[in-house]
Amino acid sequence: MSRVAVPALEDRATLGIGMMLAAWLFFSMIDTSVKWLVLAGLPALQLAFMRYVGHFVISTWLVARGGMDAERFKTDRLGLVLLRAYLLTSSTALNFIALIYLPLTVTASIMFTSPILVCLLGWPLLGERAGPWRIFGILLGFVGVLVVMRPFGAEFHWAMLLSFHNAVAMALYSTLTRKLSGVVSTEIMQFYMGLFGTVVLLPTAIWTWTNPTTALDWVLLVLLGVFGWAGHELLTRAHRFATANTLMPYAYFFLLFLSISSYLIWGHIPDAATLIGAAIIIGSGLLIWVRTRKRAILRTPPGV
């Protein structure tokens, strides 16, 4: 058992939702940076390695602040912690490859089948049942994603299968994060995530390594790990305050963040369908937030 303190779960959905939104903002910064760097000629697996080595350095420092005692790095849920790390590492590597061939908004849209999978997995794995309004909100958000993606009018590309893997992996990752929250500390989960990704991706990074050609590219390369650590720190802590079913729909805002960065950096202006889809996505998140707030109020005893 690790000596790092494990905070207890709390019912503070609004705080959890705020952390989730901030986490997906950081994740959009990762994908935007990766798209920039792959267009500059840097290999996708090199970028995936740098995303995890920075994460590993930060998380190791945080765990070791209280001393380099080996007991601080132990956990009795090591198998689940490593499975969680595998899910995210595979998702990251394949997503970075998909970004070579697909626009940011397409990869994000396909990935956001994951909230429905989270809803389905939450009951058998976590015992968390989603009520009819929450299910409606999740489905409404997914409709918004389909409006943006327009899959039936687009030519299929094999890289879309990589993005679908990301959807399944992220659904399982989110479910495992909730299962481990309150049992394994955030610092320990972060440490093993960084360690796993660094060790697994190191050989491919050495084999494919290409030096950036500009100072900006070097800065973005280094910041990948910082963005990754910050995003997953917030995402993991958010699961202390709200259920996976409550939090996952807010991942739809990732698509909105990517649309904004695509416009600011590459001048891509979202068309009418993208704007309509984004409005539906935001509406679904607000619907779930309102229902969550009402349920929290009803559960609060008078005078509290």
Side-chain angles (χ1 to χ4, degrees):
M1 187 71 178
S2 172
R3 292 183 181 177
V4 179
V6 181
L9 297 178
E10 300 180 43
D11 187 6
R12 300 172 64 186
T14 301
L15 177 58
I17 289 168
M19 288 182 169
M20 196 69 165
L21 291 174
W24 284 103
L25 176 60
F26 277 112
F27 296 151
S28 72
M29 294 165 71
I30 293 176
D31 278 18
T32 302
S33 299
V34 167
K35 185 70 175 179
W36 176 277
L37 292 171
V38 295
L39 290 176
L42 272 65
L45 293 179
Q46 172 186 331
L47 302 179
F49 168 75
M50 288 300 295
R51 177 256 174 274
Y52 282 99
V53 72
H55 188 135
F56 176 58
V57 170
I58 295 172
S59 58
T60 301
W61 175 75
L62 289 173
V63 175
R65 283 183 302 174
M68 287 299 292
D69 187 346
E71 292 296 321
R72 294 182 58 82
F73 294 86
K74 290 183 178 180
T75 173
D76 55 4
R77 299 289 193 278
L78 183 60
L80 290 179
V81 169
L82 290 178
L83 175 58
R84 176 179 178 271
Y86 159 76
L87 290 168
L88 189 67
T89 301
S90 64
S91 176
T92 300
L94 295 181
N95 180 53
F96 285 10
I97 294 173
L99 285 171
I100 299 173
Y101 305 100
L102 302 173
L104 289 172
T105 50
V106 171
T107 58
S109 298
I110 297 173
M111 192 188 72
F112 285 137
T113 55
S114 57
I116 293 177
L117 297 175
V118 167
C119 188
L120 295 174
L121 293 171
W123 187 358
L125 297 183
L126 300 175
E128 297 174 355
R129 298 193 184 190
W133 279 104
R134 191 174 299 175
I135 293 175
F136 174 73
I138 291 171
L139 293 176
L140 181 64
F142 184 60
V143 168
V145 170
L146 291 179
V147 171
V148 174
M149 185 178 171
R150 287 152 286 176
F152 304 110
E155 183 178 351
F156 175 78
H157 192 287
W158 62 265
M160 292 181 179
L161 295 177
L162 303 183
S163 294
F164 182 71
H165 168 274
N166 298 341
V168 176
M170 285 302 297
L172 291 169
Y173 168 82
S174 180
T175 304
L176 273 178
T177 298
R178 178 63 179 178
K179 190 177 185 67
L180 292 170
S181 294
V183 179
V184 180
S185 70
T186 301
E187 290 82 1
I188 291 297
M189 284 192 276
Q190 290 276 58
F191 168 76
Y192 281 103
M193 184 190 300
L195 174 64
F196 185 92
T198 299
V199 171
V200 168
L201 294 170
L202 177 60
T204 62
I206 294 174
W207 183 261
T208 64
W209 186 270
T210 302
N211 284 329
T213 57
T214 69
L216 175 60
D217 291 352
W218 273 110
V219 170
L220 292 177
L221 187 64
V222 173
L223 285 179
L224 288 177
V226 178
F227 294 154
W229 173 84
H232 286 282
E233 180 78 7
L234 288 164
L235 184 144
T236 304
R237 292 186 181 277
H239 283 78
R240 282 184 51 217
F241 303 112
T243 66
N245 281 338
T246 299
L247 292 174
M248 199 60 185
Y250 289 89
Y252 289 129
F253 280 81
F254 179 53
L255 182 57
L256 182 61
F257 297 147
L258 286 181
S259 297
I260 294 172
S261 65
S262 293
Y263 169 72
L264 293 177
I265 297 174
W266 291 285
H268 178 260
I269 301 176
D271 57 18
T274 301
L275 294 175
I276 293 171
I280 295 173
I281 291 167
I282 294 172
S284 72
L286 292 175
L287 171 63
I288 294 171
W289 178 77
V290 169
R291 294 299 300 179
T292 301
R293 288 284 296 168
K294 286 185 177 179
R295 290 182 63 184
I297 292 172
L298 289 174
R299 288 197 303 265
T300 303
V304 176

